[in-house]
Amino acid sequence: MKKQINIGIDGMHCATCSARTEKALAELEGVSAVHVNLALEDASVEYDDRHAGPADFERVIQSLGFSVRQEISIGEDEQVARMKDAERRMWIMWALALAVMALMLPLMLLRLEPAWHHLGIWAIFGLTLLGMLFPARAVYVSAFKSLRGGSANMDVLIALGTLASFLVTPLSLVVKGINPHDFSGIATMILAFHLTGRYLESRARGKASEAIRKLLNLGAKTALILQDGVETEIPIHRIKVGDVCIVKPGAKVPADGVIIQGEASLDESMATGESMPVFRREGDRVIGATVNLDGYFQARAEKVGQESFLAQVVKMVQEAQHSKVPIQLLADRVTSVFVPIVLVLAAATFLAWLLFPSQMAAIGGFFRSIIPLNTATSGLAAALMAAVATLVIACPCALGLATPTALMVGSGMGAERGILIRSGEALQRMKDLRAVVFDKTGTLTHGKPKLLKAQGIGIADEEALALAYSLEAASGHPLSRAIVAAAQAGGLQPRPIEEFTSLHGRGVTALLEGRKLWLGNRALLEELDIPVPEPDQTDTGLRHATQVWLADSRGVLGAFWLADTIRPEAERVVKQLAEMGITSVLLSGDNKQIADAIAAQCGISRVRHQAMPVDKARIVQELQDEYGTVAMVGDGINDAPALKQADIGIAMGQGTDIAIEAADITILRDNLELIPLAVRLSLETFRKIRQNLFWAFFYNLIAIPLAVFGALHPVLAEIAMASSSVTVVTNANLLRRKLR
């Protein structure tokens, strides 16, 4: 039988690690598809359980030197602990490196007594050993596991370079012509820069797995079911298809089902994203995890567990996470080829100096004439010095720092402006952005109803609003809150009422100064046989608004128009994106008439309407086939699958936590104009990443030949290596000037 499983994996550090894991799992009999996600540190495996199973996957993963995590997603506490551990190791290594440098300088610049000289050499040796055994121990463990698994990752090069320079000190006891202080400090500096890159990487890594946990937390924890006429509370996982669930005011619907008795207004925004409550009565379907705002009903469960709407949304988010290409830093991809080449080159350099010292010295003589260096030109000392210099200068520390430093600066600048960049993948793909899909409610609109117009019929407009305020002050309905807010803004005061009653799905009624008043929709007036005036057609801005009527026993006293209003900056944002060559698309769960009206006001020509969460993800995929790279902007749980399906997910920070966690970029402030700025910020940040990678390679291309031919002293190699790292960090900080 075909199955699918997600497996948490600890110990992967680079693209080589994830590629090895994916290849090894794919080679197992019965495995049809494997996607290893380096960012999430997990693997999604599709397999036939007649030929393979979890035990086989765990065995293969452990054979590669990694471990299987019991929890698929890394918890927030664990992520913070990992980051703090990386920071602690970095600072310990830098403390040791600075101590080593303080000892090296006198050895290189001063003529010390032999006893003091030897003491300084062995003190450096001891400090370096401490760094290798404690803060940098994971580097050597990773390198060993990588070699044992038949490949070479970045840690292999780090380990060999540092071990080679470290072992020069004991080697100098038996080989003359080697100055150990030329080599001894290199190891600590390499490790300090490497652990700095690891720390920055841990800070830059996103926390996409939190979206799954928060989605699961949306559902009800318990259910009130009817058993033999008795109300019984049970854990949510014990609900079975056919159970009759009781849902009281303020409670969450425990499962997808159909109402068999009662009625209520439901907040279904978690499913549809629409702010307006919907009225459900006997025979209507309800969705699990939606909220009963008022009323009482009984519903028969039809879909529970993995078949429920919420579970399907969770599954879609998981699938979307794995369907994306994992964050593949160029440095990691190049390392898979770069490291073996450097290892071969270092070995060849060592042999060439042993076998052909005069030829190697002659080729490097020109460079030594420009930069006079007191280095050995023959024998084991020359071979060792050239090989170590080659390993040191080729150490890809700058490659490790190139991307995270630019990302840290770019994301920091974004945060200052209200733009949170959580995904390096988004930076890589943003440069190819061709279309932006906007959710309607809460994104292009404010996401809550507003009173557009109050009109008295036979009474003053202000009097009609005051009466409506008096009735709605006791209600928590979103439309009621809009009327109350408008009345309060106008300085009106509510009057005392009696016998207030909420008429589910229709409106409210109460006694005010002995007079019976009703406030509600057209259905309520028709039920009371009160003639309904024709709607106002003169104001085009009211054509798509929700209309509420105020009436007494004699007839209608007032009319109120309410609607979710468009953000004032929406049209400007669409125009700015168009100027950047990016097409805007409106995607809404609302009906065609309302969706088209909103799109027209924003200047959007492409509209997709009446879209449920499943539809939204599918529509985004269709647009990806048409345009290429597509971004999705949303704010609700219903947008989470589409946000993950899109190449770049952009969440409005005023929306739900689910949308924020599912997105690559979050707009923290309630302002759409930050979206074009986010595009520009991402483009500039990625441009800096590419520049940094160029400089990282440039140092190697220039300096490696010098090191091979003995024209680069290991100390200068160390300085060049450090300079390459400083260069990429400095260049990343220049991003601040670009976006002032």
Side-chain angles (χ1 to χ4, degrees), residues 47 132 136 150 235 250 301 322 367 522 544 566 592 623 688 716:
Y47 66 100
M132 290 178 167
H322 286 284
F367 299 104
R522 177 182 289 267
H544 304 292
I566 297 174
K592 184 178 187 303
L623 292 170
K688 284 299 178 184
L716 293 181

Side-chain angles (χ1 to χ4, degrees), residues 377-669:
T377 57
S378 63
L380 180 61
L384 184 61
M385 186 166 290
V388 171
T390 301
L391 283 172
V392 169
I393 192 60
C395 176
C397 292
L399 289 176
L401 289 169
T403 297
T405 49
L407 181 61
M408 291 299 292
V409 173
S411 60
M413 292 182 62
E416 292 173 4
R417 291 160 172 78
I419 304 167
L420 179 62
I421 301 174
R422 302 172 61 91
S423 168
E425 184 181 5
L427 294 174
Q428 295 182 15
R429 296 190 175 194
M430 186 69 80
K431 60 183 176 65
D432 300 319
L433 187 62
R434 292 296 176 266
V436 175
V437 182
F438 288 96
D439 172 54
K440 180 180 72 67
T441 304
T443 303
L444 289 176
T445 67
H446 288 101
K448 55 185 178 181
K450 179 181 179 181
L451 180 63
L452 302 181
K453 181 179 180 181
Q455 179 181 347
I457 300 175
I459 60 175
D461 295 348
E462 187 175 285
E463 174 65 11
L465 181 57
L467 293 174
Y469 178 21
S470 302
L471 268 66
E472 298 287 37
S475 173
H477 194 284
L479 294 179
S480 302
R481 290 195 291 267
I483 291 175
V484 168
Q488 291 175 341
L492 301 178
Q493 296 295 326
R495 302 172 191 174
I497 60 173
E498 298 175 341
E499 300 181 15
F500 173 84
T501 303
S502 177
L503 306 172
H504 305 310
R506 303 183 298 283
V508 298
T509 182
L511 284 176
L512 191 155
E513 298 174 353
R515 179 171 53 161
K516 188 79 167 180
L517 294 176
W518 291 270
L519 183 69
N521 55 23
R522 177 182 289 267
L524 176 61
L525 296 189
E526 291 174 348
E527 182 181 310
L528 298 171
D529 291 327
I530 297 176
V532 182
E534 288 300 319
D536 186 351
Q537 298 291 336
T538 59
D539 189 341
T540 57
L542 303 178
R543 289 179 181 176
H544 304 292
T546 298
Q547 203 162 11
V548 176
W549 307 93
L550 174 68
D552 62 9
S553 59
R554 294 172 296 179
V556 173
L557 300 175
F560 306 90
W561 288 264
L562 302 100
D564 187 5
T565 56
I566 297 174
R567 296 174 185 267
E569 73 274 14
E571 186 177 5
R572 293 195 302 272
V573 168
V574 171
K575 184 177 180 181
Q576 290 174 23
L577 292 173
E579 292 172 351
M580 301 168 72
I582 300 172
T583 301
S584 295
V585 181
L586 175 63
L587 184 58
S588 174
D590 223 326
N591 61 56
K592 184 178 187 303
Q593 187 179 23
I594 293 178
D596 287 345
I598 296 294
Q601 294 178 60
C602 296
I604 297 176
S605 57
R606 295 210 58 176
V607 183
R608 301 297 293 270
H609 52 80
Q610 292 180 319
M612 292 293 285
V614 176
D615 301 318
K616 290 187 176 184
R618 174 181 53 78
I619 291 169
V620 168
Q621 188 172 20
E622 291 174 359
L623 292 170
Q624 287 173 316
D625 294 337
E626 179 180 352
Y627 286 99
T629 305
V630 173
M632 170 72 190
V633 186
D635 73 320
I637 175 181
N638 62 302
D639 301 319
L643 286 168
K644 278 299 178 185
Q645 176 61 45
D647 299 286
I648 305 106
I650 304 176
M652 299 300 292
Q654 301 299 314
T656 66
D657 289 343
I658 305 305
I660 294 172
E661 292 297 338
D664 302 301
I665 296 176
T666 300
I667 304 301
L668 298 177
R669 298 169 189 167

